Amino acid sequence: MAVFSRGFGARRRDTDPNLPPGQYLTEDFPVLSAGPTPRIDTAEWSFDVIEDGRGLARWSWDDLLALPIEDIATDIHCVTRWSKLGTSWRGVSIDTLLEDVDSEATHVMAHSYGGYTTNIPLEDLTDGKAWIAFEFEGEPLDPEHGGPARLLVPHLYFWKSAKWVKGLELMDGDAPGFWEQNGYNMHGDPWTEERYW
Amino acid sequence: MIVGAWRPARVADVAAATPTARVLTLDVPGWPGSDAGQHVDVRLTAEDGYQAVRSYSLGSYGSAERIELGVDEIPDGEVSPYLVRDVRVGDELEVKGPLGGYFVWRPGGGAPVQLIAGGSGVVPLVAMARAAADAGAAASARLLYSVRGPDAAMYRDEIEQLAGHGGVGLTWAYTRRAPEGWDGSVGRLDDERLRGAVWDATLRPDVFVCGPTGFVEHVADALVRLGHAPERIRTERFGGG
Ligand SMILES: Cc1cc2nc3c(=O)[nH]c(=O)nc-3n(C[C@H](O)[C@H](O)[C@H](O)COP(=O)(O)OP(=O)(O)OC[C@H]3O[C@@H](n4cnc5c(N)ncnc54)[C@H](O)[C@@H]3O)c2cc1C
């Protein structure tokens, strides 16, 4: 049974069909992170793909920039309820990074500088759905927003787009990452509002 | 943690906290209880079915079916002006929660606790200060509360009370206007003022920082410069600048 809030609704915003349920439009770029912002020098940056504790591939910053770089135009949706439409990014497709990796994995744990982790089904990262992004709106990605590089998985809530990403761990099953252990959903589809447990 | 579905809530009390903020007390039948620092989603439904949802921290904690929110008005906002100006005792809304399992303080950890709030970011930290006092751990807790001016402090009286004899260590910081007779500086917290107001990094305190995004970024960066381990600094960003 619905509960009506007396007199509510006067200040409502225009709705937009590109907004998932329960989201509102922002022009800012707010920040959601669990702690302070790590600052990582690109000279020390590297990106690893690992499985069962073994390294399968590694890229330095220069290695990454030497790969095919894609322009990405997309909407982004944060579980704290803001959405930003029509953002532009540049980065390297996860398909490119996993091209030569031979694995039976079904899920991935993304690992970040600073210790953050988030879990994602592999099929949500492949076939042109996810990137390692290092430019936002034509500028290098700010540390507050995950620079030098973050995972970009725009069809899931934005906490899955791990900031300060440093590697992907291939897994043969699902396991909860940081926010997922702390009350947030294992998958995180904004269109079906997979927000919490 | 039990989140479950939307629960009807009835406004039991509204109290002005500052010229732009209010503390709302809600009766929530079946409320499962919460730890200090958690938040709820609040859902408002207009007569025509239109809905809006926002997150608000709990100033209360524990198992009572009565919870407390502290809301500061964002002038051009949609939901906060309604909660601060329009809502009356007896009105209904819905809540979901408690939410969040990370920005949480529970008694028994042993480490000193440092709470650092900007503006309405004090709400979940008041819950933690209350929980620390109730657990007999007030003396190991400190609160640094940064406000624009003396009239902008939410929960001022209760905070002063919690900080009474042997209670939570309290430091005020004023960014624009200080009260009469204030002999400290006024302005953004710099590293030196922060160092003087928080538990030293060598004591390995658990640090909780909450407020507008810009405030949290600034303080968390400064804490790392002062030697606090990043993994001991927990932050909650309310949005905005
Ligand atoms: C986990 C969590 C806990 C929160 N707890 C509290 C709380 O205890 N008390 C409280 O008052 N608020 C709290 N907030 C913020 C709250 O959820 C809303 O964002 C805020 O009340 C503004 O909503 P609105 O509908 O009035 O404004 P909107 O219509 O959503 O936004 C209006 C404009 O204000 C900007 N804006 C949004 N939020 C803020 C902000 N916090 N500060 C400055 N500008 C902003 C937006 O970018 C937009 O431009 C919390 C947020 C989160 C994520």
Side-chain angles (χ1 to χ4, degrees), chain B residues 148-195:
Chain B
R148 285 190 302 278
D151 62 344
M154 299 171 74
Y155 289 101
R156 171 179 285 279
D157 293 347
E158 179 167 354
I159 287 170
E160 296 283 4
Q161 214 172 337
L162 285 166
H165 186 68
V168 174
L170 172 64
T171 308
W172 292 99
Y174 298 99
T175 58
R176 300 211 188 131
R177 287 163 283 110
E180 204 113 343
W182 176 254
D183 56 3
S185 54
V186 173
R188 201 174 202 208
L189 281 168
D190 57 25
D191 289 14
E192 272 326 295
R193 275 211 288 162
L194 204 58
R195 189 200 299 277

Side-chain angles (χ1 to χ4, degrees), chain A residues 87-99:
Chain A
T87 59
S88 68
W89 303 77
R90 274 160 55 82
V92 173
S93 170
I94 300 296
D95 295 319
T96 304
L97 295 170
L98 295 185
E99 208 163 59

Side-chain angles (χ1 to χ4, degrees), chain B residues 106-130:
Chain B
R106 293 184 194 90
V113 190
Q114 180 65 53
L115 311 174
I116 306 177
S120 58
V122 78
V123 176
L125 304 189
V126 163
M128 294 183 195
R130 286 170 163 172

Side-chain angles (χ1 to χ4, degrees), chain B:
Chain B
M1 181 171 30
I2 314 148
V3 175
W6 291 102
R7 294 171 203 277
R10 183 178 291 271
V11 179
D13 187 45
V14 298
T18 78
T20 62
R22 206 146 81 154
V23 172
L24 302 180
T25 306
L26 307 177
D27 282 330
V28 190
W31 174 250
S34 66
D35 288 321
Q38 292 191 289
H39 64 277
V40 290
D41 276 0
V42 170
R43 180 163 81 178
L44 302 172
T45 305
E47 303 273 334
D48 62 358
Y50 168 81
Q51 293 183 322
V53 181
R54 297 289 186 277
S55 299
Y56 292 96
S57 299
L58 292 159
S60 53
Y61 78 99
S63 58
E65 292 189 353
R66 176 163 274 205
I67 63 171
E68 201 178 284
L69 313 181
V71 182
D72 192 22
E73 180 181 25
I74 305 298
D76 61 345
E78 177 182 354
V79 170
S80 59
Y82 175 80
L83 294 175
V84 172
R85 309 221 166 264
D86 301 345
V87 139
R88 292 199 297 248
V89 170
D91 283 352
E92 293 196 309
L93 40 81
E94 290 171 295
V95 300
K96 181 190 280 189
L99 303 172
Y102 180 69
F103 195 79
V104 162
W105 183 81
R106 293 184 194 90
V113 190
Q114 180 65 53
L115 311 174
I116 306 177
S120 58
V122 78
V123 176
L125 304 189
V126 163
M128 294 183 195
R130 286 170 163 172
D134 292 347
S140 68
R142 292 180 75 168
L143 169 65
L144 167 60
Y145 188 7
S146 169
V147 286
R148 285 190 302 278
D151 62 344
M154 299 171 74
Y155 289 101
R156 171 179 285 279
D157 293 347
E158 179 167 354
I159 287 170
E160 296 283 4
Q161 214 172 337
L162 285 166
H165 186 68
V168 174
L170 172 64
T171 308
W172 292 99
Y174 298 99
T175 58
R176 300 211 188 131
R177 287 163 283 110
E180 204 113 343
W182 176 254
D183 56 3
S185 54
V186 173
R188 201 174 202 208
L189 281 168
D190 57 25
D191 289 14
E192 272 326 295
R193 275 211 288 162
L194 204 58
R195 189 200 299 277
V198 305
W199 290 120
D200 196 79
T202 54
L203 299 172
R204 300 166 59 80
D206 287 329
V207 188
F208 294 85
V209 189
C210 185
T213 300
F215 173 85
V216 172
E217 285 292 315
H218 172 73
V219 168
D221 284 353
L223 289 168
V224 173
R225 280 196 300 275
L226 295 178
H228 291 268
E231 60 275 14
R232 290 190 168 269
I233 306 170
R234 298 183 180 214
T235 59
E236 185 107 283
R237 294 164 177 82
F238 278 5

